[in-house]
């Protein structure tokens, strides 16, 4: 569905802060958050995702660095068993969080 129309409204500074905080907590843009609220869509905020997202970013950065080293010929053999184990731990954490929300 095309979203080419603009709907604007006025809010107080306090209301704006609350809306932005709630949108951020639900991992949505303000537009998506307000649209979902107005259309009575279910909005679920899961506590603990920030830590998991940070860990995934760290792992992604490490994999990028390793890829660069291999492509530059600086490394030929890389053991990713610890990374694989950590990703398994993260997967379990995500499963636990999503089960708690259901």
């Amino acid at each position: 569905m095309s979203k080419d129309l603009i709907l604007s409204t006025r809010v107080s500074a306090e209301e704006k802060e609350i809306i932005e905080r709630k949108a951020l907590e639900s991992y949505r843009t303000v537009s998506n958050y307000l649209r979902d609220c107005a259309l009575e869509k279910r909005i679920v905020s899961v506590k603990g995702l920030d830590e998991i997202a940070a860990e995934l970013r760290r792992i992604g950065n490490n994999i990028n660095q390793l890829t660069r080293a291999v492509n530059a010929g600086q490394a030929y053999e890389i053991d990713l068993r610890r990374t694989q184990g950590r990703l398994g731990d993260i997967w379990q954490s995500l499963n636990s969080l999503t089960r708690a929300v259901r």
Side-chain angles (χ1 to χ4, degrees):
M1 179 182 300
S2 174
K3 293 178 179 76
D4 54 351
L5 300 176
I6 297 173
L7 178 65
S8 63
T9 185
R10 294 183 183 273
V11 295
S12 68
E14 182 181 330
E15 290 169 331
K16 182 178 187 276
E17 184 178 314
I18 292 169
I19 291 168
E20 288 174 340
R21 178 180 45 80
K22 287 185 173 188
L24 184 64
E25 286 174 358
S26 65
Y27 297 93
R28 289 171 166 75
T29 63
V30 171
S31 293
N32 286 340
Y33 175 75
L34 291 173
R35 188 172 27 260
D36 289 350
C37 286
L39 299 175
E40 297 179 352
K41 292 186 179 180
R42 184 172 181 222
I43 297 175
V44 177
S45 179
V46 180
K47 303 295 182 201
L49 288 181
D50 290 335
E51 294 84 13
I52 292 172
E55 182 67 18
L56 286 172
R57 278 192 294 276
R58 283 191 288 275
I59 290 171
N61 287 339
N62 289 341
I63 290 172
N64 285 339
Q65 290 171 353
L66 291 170
T67 302
R68 282 192 207 104
V70 168
N71 288 337
Q74 298 170 343
Y76 299 99
E77 188 174 319
I78 297 171
D79 184 0
L80 294 175
R81 282 180 282 196
R82 280 185 43 207
T83 301
Q84 184 179 13
R86 189 62 193 126
L87 286 171
D89 295 342
I90 291 169
W91 179 253
Q92 292 299 331
S93 296
L94 284 172
N95 280 335
S96 297
L97 288 171
T98 55
R99 267 184 259 134
V101 171
R102 292 181 193 157

